[in-house]
Amino acid sequence: MARLRRFMPRLRRPSSPEPLAPPVAPEEAQVLGRLLAYLVVVGMFAAAAWAYRQGFYKGQPFPRNTFLFMPGDHFNDLFNALGPLRNHDPYSFPTANYFPFGYLIAYPFTWFSRTGDTIVWTMVVVGGLGLYVAKQLDFILAVDRWFVVVVLTVMTYAFLISFDRGNLEGLITVLIAGWAYSLQTGRRTVAALCVAAMAAMKAFPLVFVVVFLIRRDWRSLAISVAGTLVLSF
């Protein structure tokens, strides 16, 4: 997501969390925010029109008849993960590719029906990302803010393809948002714990400890590594 405000490095922990730094040029930032939202809307409708033409008029099969994933296979990443998890054997599924903590985080979703799974997953992922985007764009006038927040949360291709699959990576994305917001507001311990939770689900989020290395924040680095090990075991 394009940054519209300063990302202020903090090498010392403040006595109390600081608010997000204001944009350098508020008026220009508001214009840029609205412009990004309009471009996303235009791009989505253009992609939908192209896919409709390819599929309905030309009779083209997947992948030309959609800009998402295979039609009829919606949310199956979620269902494929939760099915074996309900039987307490997540690794019985051939493509199970999360560390154990990832399935522990996903386990509460098994308490619901198939429809309930999709509703709860949507509430967690859309709600978490929407809240993060709303916090980032709090400088936009209220009359435009909700439009921009909704568009930049649920109408980008990166979100739509993941949402279409019901991919558990959506939970990792919410944790990434929590990591970023925690750094912005000086909550270093929370940021480190977010990295630990992500890395205990999949290895790639460990790349975010680079920020701690650059800042020479050894305490946060140690919490991230130790937290990852504890949650994994």
Side-chain angles (χ1 to χ4, degrees):
M1 176 181 174
R3 295 293 296 128
L4 299 179
R5 60 169 83 239
R6 293 176 180 174
F7 194 94
M8 300 294 291
R10 295 184 174 87
L11 301 180
R12 298 181 181 178
R13 185 173 184 175
S15 58
S16 61
E18 298 180 21
L20 294 179
V24 178
E27 293 183 1
E28 289 81 354
Q30 291 187 51
V31 172
L32 178 58
R34 289 192 293 267
L35 178 61
L36 285 173
Y38 296 146
L39 289 175
V40 169
V41 171
V42 170
M44 191 203 73
F45 279 103
W50 179 87
Y52 182 79
R53 180 174 180 272
Q54 294 295 107
F56 187 80
Y57 289 102
K58 293 188 174 182
Q60 297 285 344
F62 176 81
R64 293 184 178 274
N65 61 348
T66 179
F67 63 97
L68 295 176
F69 196 68
M70 189 177 297
D73 199 43
H74 309 296
F75 269 85
N76 265 355
D77 280 3
L78 181 65
F79 301 143
N80 289 337
L82 295 184
L85 189 55
R86 285 190 171 91
N87 298 324
H88 304 286
D89 191 10
Y91 293 104
S92 63
F93 190 68
T95 59
N97 56 2
Y98 296 92
F99 298 149
F101 183 70
Y103 291 107
L104 181 63
I105 290 294
Y107 185 74
F109 289 89
T110 65
W111 301 340
F112 306 94
S113 64
R114 190 179 177 95
T115 301
D117 292 338
T118 62
I119 294 174
V120 174
W121 186 90
T122 300
M123 290 174 61
V124 171
V125 174
V126 176
L129 294 179
L131 180 61
Y132 173 73
V133 175
K135 290 286 188 181
Q136 298 300 306
L137 303 180
D138 58 3
F139 55 84
I140 293 181
L141 296 176
V143 68
D144 295 325
R145 188 181 309 152
W146 288 111
F147 164 72
V148 177
V149 168
V150 169
V151 169
L152 296 183
T153 299
V154 302
M155 292 182 68
T156 64
Y157 179 76
F159 173 83
L160 288 173
I161 188 67
S162 179
F163 181 79
D164 181 64
R165 301 304 306 137
N167 202 295
L168 291 182
E169 261 78 355
L171 303 178
I172 295 179
T173 306
V174 173
L175 286 171
I176 292 174
W179 166 83
Y181 183 74
S182 298
L183 283 182
Q184 290 172 312
T185 54
R187 298 175 172 91
R188 298 184 302 165
T189 300
V190 176
L193 291 174
C194 285
V195 173
M198 291 188 287
M201 295 177 67
K202 278 199 167 181
F204 72 85
L206 276 174
V207 70
F208 293 109
V209 301
V210 171
V211 174
F212 301 140
L213 286 172
I214 292 173
R215 296 183 175 191
R216 297 182 181 180
D217 188 351
W218 311 122
R219 178 177 177 275
S220 297
L221 179 62
I223 291 174
S224 297
V225 174
T228 300
L229 294 174
V230 170
L231 293 176
S232 296
F233 283 106

